[in-house]
Amino acid sequence: MSKKVVLAYSGGLDTSVAVRWIKENYGMEVITLTVDLGGADSKDLNEIKERALKQGACKAVVIDAREVFVRYFVFPALQAGALYEGVYPLATALGRPLIAKLLAEVAEDEGAEAVAHGCTGKGNDQVRFELTLQALAPQLKIIAPLREWGMSREEEIEYAQTHKIPIKTRKESPYSTDENLWGRSIECGVLEDPWVEPPDDVWQWTNSIKDCPDGPEIIEIGIEKGIPFRINKDYLDGINIIEKLNKLGGLHGVGRIDHVESRVVGIKSREVYEAPAAVILHKAHRALESMVMTRDAMRFRDIVANQYADIIYGGQWFSAFHLDLVAYVLSAQRLVTGAVKVKLSKGSATVVGRRSPLALYRHELATYDKADQFDHKAAEGFIKIHGLSLKTQSRVQSQIIYGTHEIDLACVLPPRLKEITEGKKTC
Ligand code: ARG
């Protein structure tokens, strides 16, 4: 019996060609695995399955992992406030560790000794797949045909034609795209020029401003411990919340992101995203946090959010460090319960209201009207103590601090050692 490999299979050109190529070059039987993580066009999974079998797979496994994706990956990332480089909600990056984990599970079930993916040697996704596999199933051999075969896209198409590999006949898009419930990623083509505005055909989930409804729409989002559970009067599960916000946000042109991104492999690349639900939910979530968390907690939250985003982006989901951060996030999120009102209008999502039973915002402390309970007299003593170090500085150091003198920044850039020892230059 020949050896088996489980291939992560999307049904696109690359993975279609990979089925045949692996059989030819490794002499292994190929089992395809297609994972549904949601997205706008619900993929025809049966069609993908049949195509895989026609292309020579000995078995085609299809898994609907949308619920797991939302519960174990998307919402924890939302709770953590994870936005890579402050803007990218990490849709693709969150999907990869789950797909890799499922590859390992199917490989075990099927007695396969290898797994394969269709990532190139230049992107982040190969890193995410393989780091996850190293953490969860280090015994598996990993095959990465696109890194190995050295074919250009044209050569791939030729290979497919020569070998009568049925591929989708629709005109290939000029972009490379990936999508799931949490967002759509688009790259390549004219987008490779960061000076060029993304053309209209890039967008599929979101309206351009000119096509948005005239009137704004205000929605209320209910959140418990950092997890959204309600939109207006509708109590919804995670998948439905995200799908609904993708539709609503998309209608109002919300969620377009145009970013020059720092890839794991060291290059900068221009990436464009559509993620209406993610953008709305991150804004709402942070607005609620600012109602219930202290200044210091918010500042620390931002540090953790950045670190958390780096972990996801860099494929370290199954690292101990990630789990350490999860412990902090879950503890901090115990307070993040309440509701937020978001106004959607012509490309923007703006928080216009927030409330929480645990709010640190107290009207009786904040108000200037007669309900005011803030102790104005106490301010005098507070300022005295708070300002004491400044007062002391002024008394003792004012000439140096406020006097005019130049600071030469060359003082931290030493000349060659010789020049110093020979007394030619001093620091
Ligand atoms: N730059 C994004 C990331 O690394 C998206 C990659 C998406 N892949 C694609 N084929 N468009 O997460």
Side-chain angles (χ1 to χ4, degrees):
M1 214 175 66
S2 54
K3 292 174 175 167
K4 294 183 205 158
V5 53
V6 185
L7 165 71
Y9 178 81
S10 67
L13 175 68
D14 292 338
T15 50
S16 295
V17 170
V19 176
R20 162 104 199 189
W21 187 89
I22 293 174
K23 285 174 72 172
E24 227 169 48
N25 288 271
Y26 283 86
M28 293 174 131
E29 286 193 51
V30 178
I31 298 164
T32 58
L33 168 63
T34 306
V35 181
D36 183 8
L37 300 180
D41 11 291
S42 68
K43 299 161 198 84
D44 190 340
L45 296 172
N46 270 331
E47 193 206 310
I48 293 184
K49 189 169 176 162
E50 265 163 36
R51 207 169 336 131
L53 295 171
K54 269 199 207 126
Q55 286 157 353
C58 67
K59 184 170 184 180
V61 180
V62 171
I63 298 176
D64 176 357
R66 290 173 304 157
E67 225 175 288
V68 177
F69 182 49
V70 171
R71 173 165 172 193
Y72 289 90
F73 293 84
V74 171
F75 280 173
L78 173 67
Q79 287 178 301
L83 291 168
Y84 184 62
E85 295 185 325
V87 292
Y88 167 38
L90 295 157
T92 298
L94 283 163
R96 298 315 188 203
L98 174 53
I99 297 173
K101 179 170 188 288
L102 294 171
L103 273 178
E105 287 176 20
V106 174
E108 195 187 326
D109 293 348
E110 301 290 339
E113 66 169 50
V115 291
H117 61 71
C119 306
T120 69
K122 209 170 168 179
N124 299 313
D125 290 332
Q126 51 171 350
V127 179
R128 298 166 184 151
F129 272 121
E130 295 186 29
L131 261 56
T132 302
L133 288 161
Q134 277 163 16
L136 301 182
Q139 76 286 356
L140 287 172
K141 177 181 165 54
I142 299 170
I143 300 174
L146 272 90
R147 253 181 355 217
E148 299 170 26
W149 66 32
M151 282 191 273
S152 67
R153 205 164 173 83
E154 292 74 38
E155 288 164 339
E156 271 185 65
I157 295 173
E158 220 181 285
Y159 182 97
Q161 282 163 351
T162 324
H163 295 286
K164 303 205 167 38
I165 298 171
I167 46 171
K168 260 195 185 167
T169 43
R170 74 178 166 80
K171 215 173 112 254
E172 283 293 332
S173 141
Y175 310 109
S176 160
T177 61
D178 177 66
E179 71 174 49
N180 61 43
L181 271 171
W182 202 227
R184 185 167 170 265
S185 308
I186 313 113
E187 53 190 42
C188 302
V190 291
L191 297 172
E192 285 176 359
D193 182 346
W195 183 248
V196 170
E197 181 180 356
D200 280 347
D201 66 353
V202 157
W203 311 111
Q204 279 186 13
W205 291 14
T206 54
N207 271 330
S208 295
I209 306 271
K210 62 175 172 24
D211 303 320
C212 290
D214 276 335
E217 180 164 356
I218 292 182
I219 51 170
E220 183 181 319
I221 301 171
I223 295 175
E224 190 180 352
K225 295 184 183 158
I227 295 187
F229 66 94
R230 176 174 63 79
I231 297 176
N232 299 330
K233 292 197 167 66
D234 300 327
Y235 290 74
L236 301 169
D237 66 20
I239 296 178
N240 278 304
I241 292 232
I242 295 170
E243 281 180 344
K244 185 161 184 169
L245 290 178
N246 275 336
K247 283 228 171 67
L248 265 179
L251 176 70
H252 289 276
V254 169
R256 293 184 174 185
I257 298 158
D258 179 352
H259 182 47
V260 171
E261 182 170 299
S262 314
R263 280 200 193 168
V264 181
V265 293
I267 60 175
K268 291 272 188 193
S269 66
R270 203 278 189 90
E271 312 277 340
V272 172
Y273 302 102
E274 291 182 281
V279 165
I280 294 168
L281 287 172
H282 269 291
K283 279 200 177 175
H285 178 252
R286 196 176 196 290
L288 186 56
E289 286 182 320
S290 70
M291 283 286 276
V292 297
M293 287 162 93
T294 63
R295 179 188 61 171
D296 288 349
M298 280 304 281
R299 198 162 298 171
F300 193 65
R301 167 247 185 254
D302 287 340
I303 294 171
V304 172
N306 271 322
Q307 191 67 56
Y308 204 103
D310 285 354
I311 285 175
I312 297 169
Y313 192 82
Q316 310 262 0
W317 187 266
F318 292 99
S319 65
F321 185 32
H322 174 216
L323 299 181
D324 297 338
L325 293 186
V326 169
Y328 160 77
V329 171
L330 288 180
S331 174
Q333 294 297 303
R334 290 174 303 169
L335 301 172
V336 188
T337 292
V340 179
K341 272 191 294 188
V342 183
K343 188 192 229 169
L344 309 174
S345 175
K346 298 205 180 287
S348 69
T350 316
V351 172
V352 293
R354 62 293 264 165
R355 63 183 154 85
S356 166
L358 300 171
L360 297 178
Y361 177 93
R362 308 305 315 171
H363 183 262
E364 69 277 12
L365 293 176
T367 184
Y368 281 90
D369 70 21
K370 59 179 183 319
D372 186 5
Q373 286 178 20
F374 182 85
D375 183 352
H376 289 246
K377 285 210 189 74
E380 199 182 325
F382 166 74
I383 293 168
K384 216 175 196 168
I385 306 288
H386 190 55
L388 186 58
S389 65
L390 270 178
K391 201 171 177 179
T392 311
Q393 268 192 340
S394 170
R395 187 157 53 83
V396 180
Q397 306 170 342
S398 64
Q399 269 199 328
I400 292 176
I401 295 176
Y402 309 122
T404 50
H405 56 90
E406 235 172 77
I407 293 177
D408 185 359
L409 293 178
C411 278
V412 293
L413 306 168
R416 291 171 64 93
L417 190 61
K418 244 188 176 164
E419 293 177 318
I420 299 177
T421 48
E422 286 168 9
K424 284 192 193 137
K425 278 193 182 159
T426 50
C427 183

